[in-house]
Amino acid sequence: MGLTKVWLATLSDGLIRADQVVGLTAHATPALAGKAPRWLLDVTLRVPAGSGSVDGWDVGILHRTLIQTPGEPVGAPEALARLLARLDGEDAAGLITAVADSGARTQPASVVRFGFRPFEDDGAGPGA
């Protein structure tokens, strides 16, 4: 991907440059006592993440959550992939955000919509 000027807003980890994304997944968290499971829409990044203990070093893949929903975000990974492909073809620059639709709570699935806000060229130049 050539998305070096497109950024994704995460739930709690700031911004991620879109060209670093290599995977899009949705998965449920385990149910906790008295709490229903939640669904997470995650991006997988092409950087390793590691942690160590007295037994050695463990390296895995790095995930960052874009949004959390009460129901399965059916079609959200595919919708984001389509948006990224479209923006790549347009040589876009800006910020992608994920928003859960506030539809009826009786539905088993959640709808996630993606917004794109282009960066405005204010003409002030770097560091302004």
Side-chain angles (χ1 to χ4, degrees), residues 24-26 41 73-82 114:
L24 305 168
T25 58
L41 177 62
V74 175
E78 295 86 352
L80 181 54
R82 284 191 302 274
F114 297 97

Side-chain angles (χ1 to χ4, degrees), residues 2 14 30 35 38 40 46 49 56 66-67 74 77 81 84 89 112 114-115 122:
K35 292 189 175 193
R38 304 285 292 173
L40 305 178
R46 65 176 179 181
L66 300 181
I67 195 165
V74 175
L84 290 170
V112 175
F114 297 97
D122 62 8

Side-chain angles (χ1 to χ4, degrees), residues 3 6 18 24 31 45 63 65 70-71 74 79 96 105:
L3 295 165
V6 174
L24 305 168
L45 303 177
H63 294 91
T65 299
V74 175
I96 295 173
R105 292 258 187 217

Side-chain angles (χ1 to χ4, degrees), residues 41-127:
L41 177 62
D42 288 348
V43 293
T44 304
L45 303 177
R46 65 176 179 181
V47 296
S51 61
S53 69
V54 293
D55 296 326
W57 190 254
D58 181 34
V59 177
I61 56 177
L62 184 62
H63 294 91
R64 289 293 177 251
T65 299
L66 300 181
I67 195 165
Q68 187 180 103
T69 61
E72 181 179 4
V74 175
E78 295 86 352
L80 181 54
R82 284 191 302 274
L83 176 59
L84 290 170
R86 182 176 62 84
L87 294 173
D88 186 34
E90 296 173 2
D91 192 33
L95 179 65
I96 295 173
T97 55
V99 178
D101 193 341
S102 59
R105 292 258 187 217
T106 58
Q107 297 178 353
S110 293
V111 176
V112 175
R113 303 202 190 288
F114 297 97
F116 177 71
R117 188 175 69 226
F119 293 144
E120 296 297 325
D121 182 12
D122 62 8

